[in-house]
Amino acid sequence: MHVWNDLGGWFKRRREISGNVGFVPTMGALHRGHLSLVERCRKENDIAVVSIFVNPSQFNEKKDLERYPRTLETDLAMLRDGGVDDVLVPSASEMYPNGYSLRLEPDPAVAGLMEAAHRPGFLQGVMTVVLKLFNIVHADRAYFGEKDYQQLITIEAMVREFFLPVKIVPCPTVREPSGLAMSSRNMLLSEASRQHAAGLYRALTTGATVDDARGILEAEAFQVDYVEEHWGRRFVAAFLDGIRLIDNVPTSSVENR
Ligand code: AMP
């Protein structure tokens, strides 16, 4: 497995690759959710490329960025075991040589909803870094989790709108046996809070309405950012012990995005 800390080395290597390239962008602190994307990527392509980059432009709170878990050595061992060919670990200065002076704007129709509404600048940061990464990797396919659904549909829209030559492959959410969606942020929870956090999925799947689901969460001491339904799915974001968790589930067999 090649690990590229500078883009120059990767660009040279990329010119030498002739087969199909699959790409999984991540912010590291890897878990089985990420590995499910990697496994699919490896199966469907000749070369599997993963990036690990904690993207500063998508964090609207400095404290959240600072405490975001970083576990590079373990991540690399997991990717090596997972049969990944190339890992890009670029620096922020190489990714943003002119600071964050140019950025993309999401569709206003989604910009007022959920993550975009509660984390100003989040979708701009995601779109901007993903466009940069797509131009760096030149992948045939790129793999994104449904766990971050608003991010997924925003990237799909960006690819359509700007005619980007990459196929986006959505991948289902991987959960703990308790139902808790796997997330890097779960590492920041104590063992007791992790048990408690499974209540998020229970409320999402058992609340008869969004108001019911919110009520269940509040009764269980979650601080709720939102419970909303769009595109045949129910979405939630809530804080537990100061850690912000998100999840979503289909509410009908027809997805409508
Ligand atoms: P992140 O490192 O959180 O930016 O996530 C990188 C990619 O992994 C994104 O496409 C996420 O949607 C995806 N991902 C994160 N958690 C899960 C999960 N539990 N199941 C499936 N995909 C996930």
Side-chain angles (χ1 to χ4, degrees), residues 24-38 51-55 58 68 122 126 142-149 151-152 169 171-176 180-186 246-247:
V24 182
T26 81
M27 299 207 298
L30 301 181
H31 48 70
R32 281 199 291 110
H34 295 113
L35 292 186
S36 70
L37 274 56
V38 167
S51 64
I52 297 178
F53 180 62
V54 182
N55 174 35
Q58 73 189 66
Y68 197 84
F122 167 71
V126 166
Y143 296 78
F144 287 86
E146 290 179 346
K147 154 126 192 315
D148 300 282
Y149 200 83
Q151 165 176 296
L152 163 67
V169 184
C171 301
T173 302
V174 177
R175 300 178 179 281
E176 308 266 11
L180 175 64
M182 294 205 167
S183 163
S184 303
R185 284 193 168 84
N186 295 352
I246 62 169
D247 200 353

Side-chain angles (χ1 to χ4, degrees), residues 64-132:
D64 189 27
L65 171 62
E66 278 165 9
R67 75 174 170 194
Y68 197 84
R70 289 163 173 87
T71 57
L72 184 61
E73 288 315 309
T74 329
D75 292 350
L76 293 178
M78 286 165 82
L79 296 177
R80 199 170 283 118
D81 287 349
V84 167
D85 298 282
D86 294 85
V87 186
L88 273 55
V89 192
S91 64
S93 57
E94 218 178 353
M95 288 299 287
Y96 291 96
N98 296 309
Y100 186 36
S101 46
L102 296 180
R103 64 194 72 175
L104 293 174
E105 282 295 327
D107 183 341
V110 295
L113 305 179
M114 305 192 302
E115 292 304 283
H118 289 263
R119 298 178 63 192
F122 167 71
L123 281 185
Q124 285 91 337
V126 166
M127 291 174 76
T128 304
V129 80
V130 171
L131 180 63
K132 285 170 185 265

